[in-house]
C-alpha cells in the first residue's frame, strides 16, 4: 500500500539574534534606542516563558514570509534529494502571509522556480501554531489516496514586523520570533505500519477564537481597514490580541489529551517513541504537558529558549535544530503535539 514518508527536512532562521535584554529598547523598526520603549525585562520573560532570545528579519531589507519559506524549502529539498520540479503540491502554514491574497504558497512556488502553466497545486492553511500537524494530516491523506506523490509542507512566520513594541503589547511581543521549517513528504510502497506517517489527528474549538486573534481588517466594515486618525493606529486592529492565561490553560489541557489519544489510538507507548516535539509557545506549557501526560523528560525536545514562538514553523524547526546537534537521527519516531489560535490543536506520530 502507499504510505506517506518524510523524505527530508530543513529549517531557516534569520541571522539577527535578539536577546531579552535588548527587547525593552527596540523601536517598531527593531532599532535599539537609548531610552526604554517597553516596560519589560529579561527576568520576567525567562521566568514566565523560558525564552532567552529570538531571531528577527532585517526590516529594512524588505524580507517576506515566502523568503523565509524559500530558504527552509531549499534545505528540505536538498536533504530529501528531491528536485523542486518533482513537487506536485505545496502546503504552506502561516499566520503572517506576505499579503492578504493570494496565499503565500504561490509566491513560494514562483521563488522555487516551479511556477507556470504546469505549476503544482498550492494550498495556504490558516491554523496558526497547529499548522504543521494540520498540514501533515493533509499531506498524508493526499499521498495515501494517490492524489499527489511529493508534497512540500512548510511552516513560515515573519512575526517581528507585526508586533507592538510598546508596553501595551508586551505580553504578546516578547513571545514571538521569525523562522521557517519544511518537510518533503513522499509516497512509498510499504506494508510496514511503523513506517512513515503513523497517525495524525487535528481538532478545533471555535469558541476560543477571540482569545487569540489579529484583525488587520474587518470585512463587515467599509472600508475594511480603518485607522483612528487621532491615535494614528488602532492597536486592536494592528497587533495580535491574547487572553494569555486562558490560552495557557486550554493549551495544557488539550495538548495532554491529544498526546494521550495518539498513544491510545496507535497502541504505542513511550518505549516506542524516541522524541516528544511539542509546539513551542511557552516552556512552562511544555513542562506542564510533560508532567501531566507522564512523558519521559529526556524525550521532550524544546527550542523556544533560542527562537521564541515561530508558530507554524516550530515543529520542523525544533526537529532540525536537534538533528544538527546530533540528538535526533533519521529513523527516529516522533510524537508531536500542537496547540494554537482558533483554538486549534492536534498531534501526529511520524518516523523521520
Ligand atoms: N514584561 C513584564 N511584565 C509583563 C509582560 C512583559 N512582557 N507581559 C505582561 N506583564 C505583566 C502583566 O501586565 C501583569 O501585571 P499585573 O499583575 O501588574 O497586572 C503580570 O505581568 C502578569 O501578567 P499575566 O498575563 O497574568 O502573566 P502570565 O503568567 O499569564 O504570562 C503569558 C503571560 C506568558 C503570555 C502566558 O499567559 C502564556 O504563555 N499564554 C499562552 C500563550 C500561548 O500558548 N499562545 C498560543 C500559541 S500562539 C498562536 O497560536 C499564535
Amino acid at each position: 500500500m502507499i504510505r506517506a514518508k518524510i523524505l527530508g527536512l530543513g529549517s531557516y532562521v534569520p541571522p539577527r539574534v535578539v536577546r531579552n535584554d535588548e527587547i525593552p529598547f527596540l523601536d517598531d523598526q527593531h532599532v535599539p534606542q537609548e531610552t526604554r520603549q517597553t516596560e519589560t525585562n529579561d527576568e520576567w520573560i525567562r521566568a514566565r516563558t523560558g525564552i532567552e532570545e529570538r531571531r528577527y528579519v532585517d526590516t529594512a531589507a524588505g524580507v517576506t514570509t515566502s523568503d523565509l519559506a524559500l530558504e527552509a524549502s531549499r534545505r528540505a529539498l536538498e536533504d530529501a534529494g528531491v528536485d523542486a520540479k518533482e513537487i506536485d503540491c505545496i502546503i504552506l502554514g502561516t499566520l503572517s502571509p506576505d499579503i492578504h491574497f493570494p496565499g503565500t504558497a504561490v509566491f513560494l512556488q514562483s521563488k522555487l522556480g516551479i511556477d507556470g502553466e504546469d505549476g503544482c497545486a498550492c494550498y495556504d492553511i490558516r491554523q496558526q501554531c497547529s499548522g504543521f500537524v494540520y498540514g501533515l494530516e493533509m499531506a498524508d491523506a493526499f499521498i495515501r489516496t494517490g492524489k499527489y506523490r511529493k508534497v512540500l509542507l512548510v511552516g513560515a512566520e515573519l512575526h517581528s514586523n507585526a508586533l507592538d513594541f510598546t508596553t501595551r503589547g508586551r505580553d504578546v511581543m516578547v513571545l514571538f520570533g521569525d523562522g521557517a521549517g519544511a518537510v518533503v513528504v513522499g509516497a512509498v510502497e510499504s506494508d510496514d505500519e511503523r513506517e512513515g506517517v503513523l497517525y495524525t489527528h487535528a481538532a478545533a474549538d471555535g469558541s476560543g477564537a477571540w482569545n487569540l486573534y489579529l484583525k488587520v481588517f474587518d470585512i463587515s466594515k467599509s472600508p475594511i481597514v480603518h485607522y483612528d486618525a487621532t491615535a494614528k493606529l488602532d492597536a486592536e486592529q494592528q497587533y495580535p490580541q491574547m487572553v494569555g492565561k486562558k490560552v495557557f490553560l486550554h493549551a495544557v489541557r488539550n495538548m495532554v489529551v491529544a498526546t494521550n489519544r495518539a498513544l491510545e489510538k496507535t497502541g504505542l507507548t513511550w518505549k516506542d517513541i524516541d522524541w516528544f516535539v511539542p509546539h513551542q509557545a511557552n516552556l512552562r506549557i511544555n513542562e506542564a504537558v510533560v508532567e501531566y501526560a507522564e512523558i519521559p523528560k529526556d524525550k521532550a525536545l524544546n527550542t523556544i529558549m533560542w527562537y521564541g514562538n515561530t508558530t507554524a514553523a516550530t515543529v520542523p524547526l525544533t526537529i532540525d535544530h536537534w538533528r544538527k546537534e546530533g540528538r535526533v537521527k533519521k529513523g527516529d519516531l516522533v510524537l508531536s503535539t500542537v496547540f494554537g489560535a482558533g483554538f486549534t490543536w492536534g498531534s501526529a506520530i511520524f518516523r523521520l
Side-chain angles (χ1 to χ4, degrees), residues 252-292:
V252 173
R253 189 163 63 226
N254 287 299
M255 287 173 78
V256 169
V257 172
T259 301
N260 288 335
R261 181 192 157 109
L263 295 177
E264 274 164 36
K265 292 281 177 192
T266 55
L268 298 170
T269 72
W270 286 107
K271 285 203 178 83
D272 305 303
I273 309 280
D274 295 297
W275 305 109
F276 175 59
V277 182
H279 169 55
Q280 307 287 307
N282 185 322
L283 192 60
R284 308 296 162 238
I285 292 176
N286 293 353
E287 287 169 348
V289 173
V290 165
E291 188 186 332
Y292 296 135

Side-chain angles (χ1 to χ4, degrees), residues 9-256:
L9 176 77
S11 66
Y12 174 77
V13 287
R16 182 179 174 193
V17 177
V18 178
R19 294 190 323 274
N20 286 347
D21 57 10
E22 295 173 65
I23 287 271
F25 297 93
L26 299 183
D27 68 7
D28 63 1
Q29 300 300 301
H30 321 147
V31 178
Q33 304 296 303
E34 290 199 353
T35 56
R36 274 180 182 272
Q37 310 291 300
T38 306
E39 284 306 320
T40 188
N41 56 71
D42 175 48
E43 199 188 347
W44 191 97
I45 302 170
R46 268 177 206 257
R48 304 277 178 143
T49 72
I51 297 167
E52 296 169 20
E53 58 192 39
R54 74 286 289 141
R55 303 296 184 98
Y56 285 178
V57 297
D58 176 0
T59 298
V63 179
T64 64
T65 299
S66 57
D67 292 331
L68 304 181
L70 176 66
E71 291 304 323
S73 300
R74 280 185 177 144
R75 293 172 188 194
L77 287 163
E78 193 186 337
D79 188 49
V82 167
D83 192 289
K85 292 193 183 74
E86 296 173 55
I87 295 298
D88 47 12
C89 175
I90 297 174
I91 303 172
L92 190 145
T94 188
L95 69 65
S96 46
D98 287 10
I99 55 173
H100 175 38
F101 78 82
T104 304
V106 295
F107 293 118
L108 173 62
Q109 188 208 46
S110 269
K111 287 175 182 175
L112 282 167
I114 54 171
D115 50 357
E117 283 178 12
D118 293 330
C120 65
C122 285
Y123 290 89
D124 269 44
I125 58 168
R126 302 293 307 274
Q127 278 69 31
Q128 297 66 246
C129 300
S130 306
F132 184 77
V133 165
Y134 266 73
L136 191 63
E137 177 154 283
M138 285 173 71
D140 183 45
F142 282 150
I143 287 171
R144 279 175 189 269
T145 54
K147 181 76 190 163
Y148 300 121
R149 300 281 305 171
K150 287 196 175 74
V151 178
L152 176 63
L153 169 61
V154 193
E157 303 289 355
L158 199 167
H159 287 305
S160 60
N161 287 343
L163 297 172
D164 184 356
F165 286 84
T166 69
T167 301
R168 180 183 54 202
R170 64 183 177 177
D171 58 333
V172 175
M173 177 265 281
V174 300
L175 304 176
F176 291 96
D178 303 335
V183 291
V184 179
V185 191
V188 289
E189 283 293 336
S190 171
D191 292 328
D192 184 349
E193 288 185 358
R194 297 207 164 198
E195 268 306 306
V197 179
L198 279 65
Y199 169 87
T200 62
H201 173 67
D205 173 7
S207 70
W210 293 108
N211 290 296
L212 181 50
Y213 65 94
L214 168 54
K215 272 191 175 175
V216 180
F217 65 90
D218 183 343
I219 204 72
S220 70
K221 305 252 166 56
S222 179
I224 61 168
V225 178
H226 171 74
Y227 293 110
D228 182 336
T230 51
K232 292 259 173 39
L233 55 84
D234 176 339
E236 193 211 344
Q237 194 165 322
Q238 179 98 343
Y239 302 120
Q241 306 296 310
M242 180 169 74
V243 186
K245 276 201 194 323
K246 208 164 177 183
V247 178
F248 192 109
L249 292 173
H250 280 269
V252 173
R253 189 163 63 226
N254 287 299
M255 287 173 78
V256 169

